[in-house]
């Protein structure tokens, strides 16, 4: 498999595990998370397969994933398919190829173009320009979460800012804020210049989080606000 393809699969799986953990921590405050970690068991894997099939797959994209994944152990039930959407574009719809395609690395301008297309297509994604690089290029910040969370994003930012400063937030108030708040799970792509896999896989991850309607991904959307610095 091409190096970018390997990084895509490992990145999606590793980040997915972190998001499951974050969603589970929040959900456990109010109720027991349905999966209870069973995604690692045989029963859990079958359950994930059934739910993914029920939610609908992009057959052409899924076929490419399986073509470019040279060994079964490089993938899991979480990322061996791509959910379909009639309204939200997959990376292939904007870029012309699937993430992990051999000999394909996406230019920063096209990565940004994809995230902006996502934000135009769904209220679950927002994009901001946070500044400029030394060469005058935009720094992009992307947020993905449930529509209800996105509608009050500023409230969650204020809660998080208060929790970050114990000098002004007493423990009793902090406990109340923890019950109201949502964790921000920040993913930064290509922290070092030769790291080409993360900017690629993050595009597909953002799409998955925005459109997949399995209980697992819905739990992540409901309980976590995912921030992405694409490059």
């Amino acid at each position: 498999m091409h190096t970018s393809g390997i990084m895509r699969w490992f990145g999606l799986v590793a980040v997915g595990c972190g998001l499951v953990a974050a969603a589970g921590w929040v959900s456990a405050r109010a109720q027991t998370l349905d999966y209870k970690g069973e995604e690692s068991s045989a029963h859990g894997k079958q359950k994930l397969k059934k739910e993914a099939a029920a939610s609908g797959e992009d057959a052409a994209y899924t076929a490419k994933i399986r073509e470019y994944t040279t060994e079964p152990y490089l993938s899991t039930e979480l990322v061996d398919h791509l959910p379909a959407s009639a309204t939200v574009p997959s990376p292939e719809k904007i870029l012309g190829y699937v993430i992990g395609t051999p000999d394909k690395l996406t230019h920063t301008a096209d990565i940004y173009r994809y995230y902006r297309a996502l934000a135009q297509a769904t209220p679950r994604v927002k994009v901001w320009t946070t500044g400029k690089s030394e060469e005058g290029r935009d720094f992009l910040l992307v947020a993905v979460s449930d529509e209800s969370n996105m509608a009050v994003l500023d409230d969650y930012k204020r809660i998080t800012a208060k929790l970050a400063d114990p000098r002004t937030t007493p423990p009793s108030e902090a406990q109340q804020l923890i019950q109201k708040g949502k964790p921000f799970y920040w993913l930064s792509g290509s922290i070092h210049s030769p790291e080409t896999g993360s900017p690629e896989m993050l595009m597909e991850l953002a799409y998955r989080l925005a459109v997949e309607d399995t209980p697992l991904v819905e739990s992540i959307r409901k309980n976590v606000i995912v921030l992405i610095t694409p490059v």
Side-chain angles (χ1 to χ4, degrees):
M1 182 189 292
H2 190 265
T3 301
S4 65
I6 294 174
M7 289 300 295
R8 170 198 178 278
W9 310 125
F10 286 159
L12 284 168
V13 172
V15 170
C17 290
L19 288 170
V20 169
W25 177 81
V26 177
S27 182
R29 296 182 323 210
Q31 61 183 26
T32 302
L33 185 63
D34 290 341
Y35 283 82
K36 300 178 183 176
E38 69 178 23
E39 63 274 3
S40 62
S41 68
H43 172 71
K45 290 179 179 179
Q46 285 300 115
K47 185 174 182 179
L48 288 170
K49 282 184 177 180
K50 290 180 180 178
E51 289 170 351
S55 66
E57 296 180 0
D58 182 326
Y61 199 112
T62 297
K64 290 294 184 182
I65 289 175
R66 293 171 182 171
E67 177 185 348
Y68 299 148
T69 307
T70 54
E71 296 290 345
Y73 62 77
L74 292 173
S75 190
T76 77
E77 292 76 15
L78 294 172
V79 297
D80 65 357
H81 66 284
L82 193 81
S85 173
T87 57
V88 180
S90 71
E92 185 181 26
K93 295 289 179 61
I94 301 300
L95 304 175
Y97 51 87
V98 309
I99 300 303
T101 296
D103 302 316
K104 287 286 189 180
L105 290 177
T106 310
H107 192 280
T108 300
D110 292 322
I111 292 174
Y112 287 1
R113 181 165 59 92
Y114 178 66
Y115 284 111
R116 287 175 171 133
L118 271 185
Q120 290 177 353
T122 172
R124 294 173 176 172
V125 179
K126 288 187 177 181
V127 172
W128 299 268
T129 299
T130 59
K132 296 284 187 179
S133 71
E134 292 183 356
E135 295 181 341
R137 297 185 176 93
D138 287 344
F139 279 127
L140 221 64
L141 179 65
V142 182
V144 187
S145 193
D146 182 78
E147 296 95 323
S148 60
N149 293 338
M150 299 296 273
V152 291
L153 195 58
D154 286 342
D155 292 342
Y156 289 124
K157 288 168 60 178
R158 282 191 288 269
I159 289 171
T160 302
K162 286 186 176 182
L163 287 172
D165 191 352
R167 298 170 302 175
T168 59
T169 306
S172 57
E173 182 183 359
Q175 288 302 316
Q176 295 176 0
L177 292 173
I178 289 170
Q179 295 299 319
K180 295 178 182 177
K182 305 280 185 186
F184 286 82
Y185 194 99
W186 182 34
L187 307 171
S188 185
S190 194
I191 297 175
H192 306 108
S193 58
E195 295 170 352
T196 58
S198 52
E200 300 292 321
M201 76 89 179
L202 285 170
M203 288 185 282
E204 187 178 302
L205 178 64
Y207 171 82
R208 290 175 181 277
L209 292 175
V211 306
E212 188 161 317
D213 57 5
T214 60
L216 182 61
V217 175
E218 286 182 347
S219 178
I220 293 171
R221 271 199 306 268
K222 178 181 177 182
N223 292 297
V224 181
I225 298 165
V226 179
L227 299 179
I228 298 172
T229 302
V231 178

